[in-house]
Amino acid sequence: MEESVFRSRRYWAVLAALAVGLCVLFVGRHRERAVYHTDDGVVWTTGYHIVYSSPSPLADSIQAVLARVDASASVYNEQSLVSRINRNDTSQPDSLFTRLYNCSWTIYWLSGGSYDPTVMPLVEAWGFGHDLRAEPTQAQLDSILPYVGMKRTRLAGGVLTKDDPRTQFDFSSIAKGLAVDEVGRMLERNGVKNYLVEIGGEVLARGVNQQGAPWHVSVDLPLSQADSVVHSSAVVLTIDSLAVATSGNYRKFRDRPAGERVSHIIDPLTGRGQVSNLLSVTIVAPDCMTADAWATACMAMGLERTRAMMERVDNLGVMTISTNDDGNWVVWSNHRFASLAVQ
C-alpha cells in the first residue's frame, strides 16, 4: 500500500478546483519506422485523442465506431437504443447495449449495489441530468427508489425485461470506456499493434509510441490559482494492453447553504448524493469499460470500502485522492497500481 499527503492551501480550493486528468506523455530514445497517425476531435461534449501506427489513416473508421456507440448508448440522443428502451419503445438490445448491461450487472453485484446504471431518475431528480432543479425532498427520493435497481431488470434470450416500466438506464459512467475499447478493437482488426486511444480522460494503450518506447500516462494532481488550474503530476504510469479511467466529484456538484458539497455520484441505495472526502478514484484494468465502471463504483462506495476491497485484488490497480481532517490531499494506491508507476 502506498500513501502520501500533499499540502493544499485551503480545503474549499481543493474541492472547487481539483481536476484529476489524464495526459499522454510521449517519451523514448528510439524512433520507429512505422507511420503514426493522430486523430483529434470532440464527442459527447468531451475531447478525444487517438494515436496509432498504420500504413494509412483510419479516421473514417474511428468516426463510424463513435457513431455506433452513440446510436446505442447515448442518453442525450433521443433516437438511441437506450433512449428507446427507457421509453419502453423496444425491449431488444443490440450487442453494445448487451455488453454494457452485462458489465454493469457484474460490478453492481461485486460492489454490493453501489454501482447501478438505473440511477438515471435519481440523477435527474438531483438536477445532474438534462435540467437544473431544486434539491429533491426525501419524499421525492422515496417515490423514485422503488424502481431503481439492476435487480429489477433481466436480460435473457435477447429480450430486456423491467419489473417497472419507469426503470431507466444511464450508461454515461461506462459508455466512454466502451467507446475506447471499441476503437481499440477496430484498430486491431485493421492490423494496428501500436496505439493509444483517449476519450475524455479514459485511456487504452497497446504496444509502443512514436519513439518506440512504452506509452506513459500521467495522472494529474491540479493546483488551483485564481483564474486557472495548474497541473502537477501525482504519478506517471507505464501501460501496455491496459486501460486507465478516473472518476471524481470535482466537476459536477451541488453546494448547500451550510457549506456541504454534494457530489453528482448518487448512491443508488439511498438516493442521495455523496458527501465525502474522497475526491477522485483512478482505476487500471484490462479494458476501459471495466476501468470506467469501477472508478464510478469506488466513488459511490467511499474511501474505506474502496481501500478494503482493492487491497485484496490483483487484476485491478486503484489510486484514490482524498482530503484528511487538516484539508491536505492524501494519495493512496494498492500494490497493483504502484507496480505500474514510473520510478
Side-chain angles (χ1 to χ4, degrees):
M1 180 179 70
E2 302 289 338
E3 181 175 294
S4 55
V5 178
F6 290 75
R7 294 288 175 183
S8 58
R9 295 183 178 180
R10 297 178 183 175
Y11 179 73
W12 64 264
V14 174
L15 292 180
L18 183 65
V20 176
L22 294 170
C23 67
V24 181
L25 304 178
F26 303 108
V27 297
R29 298 179 180 178
H30 304 290
R31 183 174 299 275
E32 279 195 332
R33 294 181 180 178
V35 177
Y36 276 76
H37 303 274
T38 300
D39 197 326
D40 296 290
V42 176
V43 65
W44 307 307
T45 70
T46 191
Y48 65 85
H49 178 71
I50 302 168
V51 183
Y52 56 96
S53 62
S54 173
S56 58
L58 297 167
D60 289 346
S61 296
I62 291 171
Q63 289 302 312
V65 170
L66 297 179
R68 181 168 172 250
V69 174
D70 182 83
S72 178
S74 174
V75 293
Y76 296 98
N77 178 351
E78 293 184 357
Q79 301 307 313
S80 70
L81 176 62
V82 69
S83 294
R84 289 186 286 122
I85 285 176
N86 287 343
R87 293 194 302 265
N88 301 301
D89 292 344
T90 182
S91 60
Q92 296 182 329
D94 62 9
S95 61
L96 293 183
F97 185 101
T98 299
R99 287 174 54 205
L100 289 166
Y101 182 93
N102 289 338
C103 180
S104 296
W105 183 268
T106 297
I107 298 177
Y108 167 82
W109 182 76
L110 291 173
S111 66
S114 290
Y115 179 77
D116 193 331
T118 69
V119 296
M120 184 174 179
L122 292 170
V123 173
E124 294 285 350
W126 277 92
F128 293 124
H130 293 81
D131 304 309
L132 293 175
R133 301 182 184 181
E135 182 171 329
T137 65
Q138 187 61 51
Q140 289 173 316
L141 297 178
D142 290 341
S143 70
I144 295 172
L145 285 171
Y147 56 90
V148 169
M150 285 288 288
K151 65 182 179 181
R152 297 180 171 91
T153 70
R154 290 168 299 284
L155 178 56
V159 176
L160 179 71
T161 304
K162 298 188 285 186
D163 292 343
D164 191 309
R166 295 174 294 176
T167 299
Q168 295 181 322
F169 295 91
D170 183 354
F171 292 114
S172 297
S173 63
I174 193 174
K176 282 192 302 180
L178 172 70
V180 169
D181 291 335
E182 285 297 294
V183 171
R185 289 187 179 91
M186 180 277 294
L187 293 174
E188 292 183 20
R189 287 196 302 270
N190 283 274
V192 177
K193 296 181 179 180
N194 303 304
Y195 63 81
L196 181 141
V197 180
E198 180 264 328
I199 301 178
E202 324 296 30
V203 177
L204 173 68
R206 179 185 179 189
V208 295
N209 63 22
Q210 295 97 315
Q211 289 75 37
W215 298 101
H216 287 70
V217 172
S218 175
V219 182
D220 285 353
L221 183 70
L223 305 173
S224 63
Q225 290 184 345
D227 57 354
S228 65
V229 176
V230 179
H231 295 276
S232 177
S233 180
V235 65
V236 176
L237 304 176
T238 299
I239 60 172
D240 183 6
S241 299
L242 291 172
V244 184
T246 296
S247 181
N249 65 6
Y250 42 85
R251 289 194 179 100
K252 289 185 178 181
F253 47 81
R254 178 190 291 274
D255 285 325
R256 286 174 168 167
E260 284 184 328
R261 176 153 290 175
V262 180
S263 168
H264 74 288
I265 305 294
I266 305 299
D267 186 340
L269 303 177
T270 66
R272 309 202 66 83
Q274 296 287 339
V275 178
S276 172
N277 65 336
L278 179 58
L279 300 177
S280 70
V281 177
T282 300
I283 296 288
V284 179
D287 64 275
C288 203
M289 180 169 60
T290 297
D292 213 359
W294 267 118
T296 300
C298 290
M299 285 298 302
M301 289 165 56
L303 184 61
E304 297 307 318
R305 283 185 62 199
T306 293
R307 285 191 176 190
M309 174 178 286
M310 293 301 174
E311 282 181 332
R312 301 193 303 267
V313 302
D314 55 12
N315 64 325
L316 296 174
V318 60
M319 182 182 77
T320 64
I321 299 180
S322 58
T323 55
N324 61 19
D325 292 340
D326 297 323
N328 301 317
W329 290 327
V330 179
V331 178
W332 172 89
S333 64
N334 68 355
H335 293 293
R336 172 59 175 156
F337 191 98
S339 70
L340 300 171
V342 177
Q343 302 299 322

